[in-house]
Structure formats: C-alpha cells, structure tokens
Amino acid sequence: MEEAGRAVAAAVHEGIPQGTVLILAGSGANGADALVAARRLHAWGRAVRVLAQPSRHPLHRANWARLEAVGLPAEVLSPSRLEEALRSSPAAAVDGLLGTGFRPPVRPELGELIDLLNAARSRPGANFRVISIDLPSGIEAARATLPETYVQADLTVALGGPKPALIYGPAAHAAGRVQVVGLGIPESWTEVHALAVRPGDREVAGLLPVRFPDAHKGDAGRVWIVGGHPGTVGAPVLAGLGALRAGAGLVTLYSREQGVAALAVNQAPELMARILPDLGELAVDVAAGKRPDALALGMGLGPDAARLAQAALAWKLPTVIDADALQPELRGAGHEQVVWTPHPGEAARMLGVKTGEIVADPLSAARELQRQYGGVVVLKGGPSTVATPAGLLVPRGGHPGMASAGMGDTLCGVIAALLAQGLSAPHAALCGVRLHSRAGELAGAKHGYGLSASDLSAELGAAWQALVNSAAQNCYPEP
Ligand SMILES: NC(=O)C1=CN([C@@H]2O[C@H](COP(=O)(O)OP(=O)(O)OC[C@H]3O[C@@H](n4cnc5c(N)ncnc54)[C@H](O)[C@@H]3O)[C@@H](O)[C@H]2O)[C@H](O)CC1
C-alpha cells in the first residue's frame, strides 16, 4: 500500500508538477492508497486537499491518522464538499474511490460524486486531469463493459499488473493512459495468479522460424488454403497472400469458385489455384500421400464449410479453422495442431451465447472455447486473446485501422505459414497474431485508419524484421 501510494504520488508529481492536488479517498484499500499518495505529495511540498469517506479498514484508518499527524487533516467526503473543492480549480484529482473491491452497480451516493468529477473534468476550459488508482471507479476489474456511471480518467496507475478492463475495450476507453506499477510482487506469485501473460516482442522474435542461406521453398512449407464462394472469392486470396508474406514456400488455393483462380493470378501469380467442383476430392489427394505442411480452411467457404472442416480435421494436419467453418458441430473435434480463429460473433455462435458476453469477458470466452473445441483458440479483437492448453496469452500491439475486411483472412494465412514452417500451434498463434499486429502498426503509420488487408500483408516482411531487430537490440546491452 505504501509503495502503491508512492507510485501514484510520483505519477501525479511528474505529470502535473504544479497546482493543487485534490485527493478523493473511498472507504476501502483503494482509498487507503489515495491517503498514502496525499501524504507523499504533501511531503514533496505540493498543495493537497483530501476528501475521504470514513472507513473501518485498519490501514485506511491508520493512514487517515498519519495525515493528521503531518498537518494535513482529511475532510469527510460529501457531494457539497466535492463541488466546492472542484470550483477552486485543482490541477489534478486523484480518484481513489473504488478499486478491485467494487461490486456493481455503483451506489447512488458514490454515483453522485463520480458525476460531479466527470462534469468538472469535461467543463469547457477545465484544466485539470483525473488520475485513477488501479481502475477508474465504477469499472469492474474483469469486465470489459462500460457501465452507466464510471470515472473517465486521463491516467490510470495499475497496481501489480493491468486488469482485463484496462486492456479490452470499451472499458479500457475509461482508463486514459495506463501506467503499470509492479509493486515488487514476486514473479512466483504472478505466475500462479495472473489471468494471462503478455509476451513482449523479444519473446515472440525468439520463437520465429530461422531461415538458413541454403533454404529452398520446400523447407519453407507447403500451405493449402481452402475457401471461396460466390461473392467471397477475395477471402482465400487474402489468406494466400498472408501466407506468402509470412514466409510459406508454396501456397495453393483450393476452391469450387472459378473466380478465386482468376483473382489469385491477378493479385499474386505466385499463388497456385486448383478449382474442384467437389472439394471432397482433397481427401483422395491426402490419402494418396499428397499432404500440405499446413492447411487453412473456412474463409468465405460457404454453407458446407463445417462438413469439409470435419473431414480435414481427421487428416491430423496442422490446421487453421476460420469463418464459415467455425460451427458448434465441430465441438470436441480439435487436436493439438489446430488453431481456431473466431471473431466475437463466431465465438458467440460456437459457445451458444450472445456476442456481448464474449466482448465483456474475452479471457473467459477464449478459455471456454479452448476447453470445448480443443487445440488453440485465437479470439480476434483489439487485442486478440490466445487460449492454449497451458493458459492464456494476450499479444501486444495493433492499430485501429485493422478494423477492416480481410484482416482475419490474412491472419489465417500468416498462422498457417508459421505452422507450415514447423511452429507448434500455440507458438504459431502467438507469433502470427503479433506479426499481424506489428504489420498493422507499420501499415497504419503509412495509411492511417484507411489501411486495407492488402496494405497490412505488404508490411509482414518488415514486421518480421522489426521483431527480430527488437530482440537483437534487447539481447546485447549497451557497452
Ligand atoms: N497488489 C495490489 O493490487 C494492491 C492493491 N491495493 C489496493 O486495494 C484495492 C482493493 O481494495 P478493497 O478494499 O478490496 O476494495 P476497494 O477499495 O476497491 O473498494 C471497496 C470499498 O468500496 C465500497 N464499494 C464496493 N462496491 C461499491 C459500490 N457498488 N458502490 C459504492 N461503494 C462500493 C465497499 O463498501 C468498500 O468500502 C485495489 O484496487 C488497490 O487500490 C493495495 O492497496 C496495494 C496492493
């Protein structure tokens, strides 16, 4: 608590070095953190005013007494007192009202305080910022929903690690910038209690395939993409482009739709295409020993995608199942080399719940999908969530411009390419999502929000190099 309060005080002092700081302390430990922050700021010579809810919490009471001992008595928090304090134009307000102990809905008396704080912050010409401790008050730590009443923060100082609500929208929109303070919590504890792991670029780069000078296309893997239907001929072509740009040696598109072949040759003559009126014929090839190193199936494939997926899963190949093939009848059909890539709507269909429930709690949804379908699940979003049999991973990065058609098809091709180059399903999913988001960042820097899936594909090579470079930078410390 002392370290938490110090970190909050430091964040305020560094970010808003002048002016009065208004401290709002709730009745729990979150409020006690706020009282510690007040004492620290006071000791550093800052003008501080403390409005606090009385509490039976021992550490809260102890820190209330400490404030009195240093000549900074806390005043009892009330709407009228808050209104008066906000009219005196503080430079900053520290929101220590509710933290991880919050249980919705916000009680009326606290809701009134939150409304007063938000109104003052958004008043025209207002020049004060709100710093929330651990979570913006009114936001539930593990739910990514935006309730009716919550504090809109400019900065959230997350204690011990980011809570899910600070990572997934729309709840994350309430947090402002997020600054994580480790508090010196031992790794041994976080390894057991953390809900998910967020690997950095150095870890991801260390998992990418290494290509030797004498490599040839056979070494880089053969990928089959099975998809396309009238009106969706672009999906398998985008997946094929993603696979090529992620290092696959040979990429063949299989479809019933002639338009896929025409588009492929136009977009990338490197893509091979076979048009089969009956895609079931692929089983004959496989039985005859003609097998790819990895398969991606489902994008734009149409109504019988699940039946074809069921057959393909029996081949026990490294396989990405996407889009039209993501159906409840495939529950339990996954094997350890399968990667399922649903977006929230497809995940809702697979779990038989509403899409809003998936968006509200992506970690639980991804974990449940992996339990029911096996293999590895990439629950797509900003950020995406990777569920493996060993736990949850939340890769970093991305760009808002990635919210456009074809991004998912491209991601499937990238993951299939990494599977074909020998990565395990968990590693192919993690590296594929991060390569894809890193390419999105590079494409976003060039095209802004108007970037397309083709723009992203074109940046995959540079993204790969950027990840490798970031690892190299971190590996060899400055002399
Ligand atoms: N390692 C860490 O993460 C640390 C976290 N710390 C801080 O502790 C809080 C959690 O403290 P806790 O006492 O459990 O709960 P809160 O302070 O968040 O709130 C409880 C307080 O709020 C009241 N309350 C609950 N729900 C509502 C509601 N719907 N409406 C109104 N009031 C509500 C309840 O009555 C309690 O009095 C964590 O966030 C961190 O800030 C440690 O201090 C440092 C280590």
Side-chain angles (χ1 to χ4, degrees):
M1 182 167 286
E2 192 63 28
E3 175 49 22
R6 186 208 61 76
V8 171
V12 172
H13 202 42
E14 281 152 27
I16 308 153
Q18 306 293 332
T20 300
V21 181
L22 178 60
I23 301 280
L24 305 179
S27 55
N30 193 253
D33 289 345
L35 299 179
V36 171
R39 176 163 39 85
R40 291 279 180 155
L41 285 161
H42 178 69
W44 295 337
R46 291 297 293 269
V48 182
R49 185 171 178 186
V50 183
L51 304 182
Q53 285 184 322
S55 169
R56 287 194 293 275
H57 190 293
L59 289 175
H60 192 291
R61 296 170 70 87
N63 280 291
W64 190 303
R66 282 184 192 139
L67 279 177
E68 291 188 334
V70 298
L72 181 63
E75 303 162 63
V76 174
L77 177 57
S78 67
S80 58
R81 201 161 269 165
L82 177 56
E83 251 184 324
E84 175 261 314
L86 289 169
R87 275 199 300 274
S88 64
S89 311
V94 172
D95 160 30
L97 297 171
L98 293 169
T100 53
F102 166 62
R103 299 293 174 266
V106 174
R107 291 177 209 142
E109 75 276 13
L110 219 80
E112 190 180 354
L113 297 170
I114 291 174
D115 292 343
L116 285 169
L117 186 60
N118 287 337
R121 176 180 172 275
S122 56
R123 199 170 295 135
N127 184 23
F128 91 104
R129 290 202 290 288
V130 174
I131 296 92
S132 287
I133 301 177
D134 217 12
L135 284 162
S137 293
I139 296 292
E140 270 189 280
R143 299 281 293 176
T145 47
L146 264 187
E148 196 179 315
T149 304
Y150 63 91
V151 167
Q152 178 56 58
D154 297 285
L155 168 71
T156 297
V157 180
L159 304 173
K163 280 66 185 176
L166 300 179
I167 293 172
Y168 294 104
H173 305 168
R177 185 168 65 83
V178 175
Q179 179 180 328
V180 177
V181 175
L183 298 184
I185 296 172
E187 288 263 317
S188 53
W189 188 89
T190 44
E191 276 161 14
V192 172
H193 296 281
L195 295 173
V197 176
R198 301 209 76 189
D201 284 356
R202 181 176 171 185
E203 291 165 84
V204 171
L207 299 172
L208 289 171
V210 175
R211 187 79 57 91
F212 294 100
D214 62 343
H216 60 81
K217 58 179 179 289
D219 294 329
R222 299 165 185 278
V223 171
W224 289 1
I225 307 279
V226 184
H229 197 63
T232 56
V233 295
V237 173
L238 286 167
L241 274 173
L244 276 179
R245 297 277 188 180
L250 292 153
V251 179
T252 307
L253 311 184
Y254 289 89
S255 182
R256 287 176 295 254
E257 190 49 39
Q258 186 58 43
V260 168
L263 185 61
V265 78
N266 177 280
Q267 288 294 311
E270 300 88 350
L271 291 173
M272 294 173 278
R274 276 186 67 198
I275 304 307
L276 298 174
D278 173 10
L279 287 168
E281 287 178 39
L282 280 174
V284 176
D285 284 355
V286 171
K290 268 186 69 181
R291 303 163 68 89
D293 297 301
L295 165 76
L297 182 146
M299 59 294 295
L301 189 52
D304 66 347
R307 179 183 61 78
L308 291 165
Q310 190 88 44
L313 288 166
W315 303 338
K316 301 296 181 196
L317 286 168
T319 303
V320 182
I321 302 288
D322 184 48
D324 298 344
L326 294 168
Q327 301 295 342
E329 60 252 49
L330 293 178
R331 188 172 281 118
H335 53 77
E336 67 171 5
Q337 291 183 296
V338 172
V339 179
W340 311 86
T341 56
H343 58 53
E346 290 156 345
R349 181 175 70 206
M350 293 168 79
L351 291 177
V353 300
K354 293 194 181 331
T355 302
E357 189 43 41
I358 305 292
V359 173
D361 189 351
L363 292 174
S364 301
R367 187 186 299 119
E368 182 59 14
L369 281 165
Q370 196 283 326
R371 190 186 69 80
Q372 291 189 22
Y373 287 80
V376 170
V377 173
V378 174
L379 176 53
K380 294 183 287 194
S384 294
T385 307
V386 177
T388 78
L392 295 171
L393 303 163
V394 183
R396 298 169 185 270
H399 187 279
M402 293 169 67
S404 75
M407 293 292 176
D409 304 318
T410 305
L411 175 62
C412 286
V414 171
I415 295 172
L418 295 172
L419 288 169
Q421 294 170 78
L423 266 60
S424 67
H427 289 169
L430 169 63
C431 294
V433 169
R434 182 53 187 138
L435 261 183
H436 187 253
S437 68
R438 188 72 186 92
E441 291 159 9
L442 296 173
K446 286 183 181 170
H447 304 279
Y449 292 152
L451 65 95
S452 69
S454 305
D455 297 331
L456 183 145
S457 243
E459 299 297 336
L460 282 164
W464 186 304
Q465 197 52 53
L467 293 179
V468 170
N469 294 345
S470 72
Q473 277 157 5
N474 296 353
C475 276
Y476 304 107
E478 292 302 311

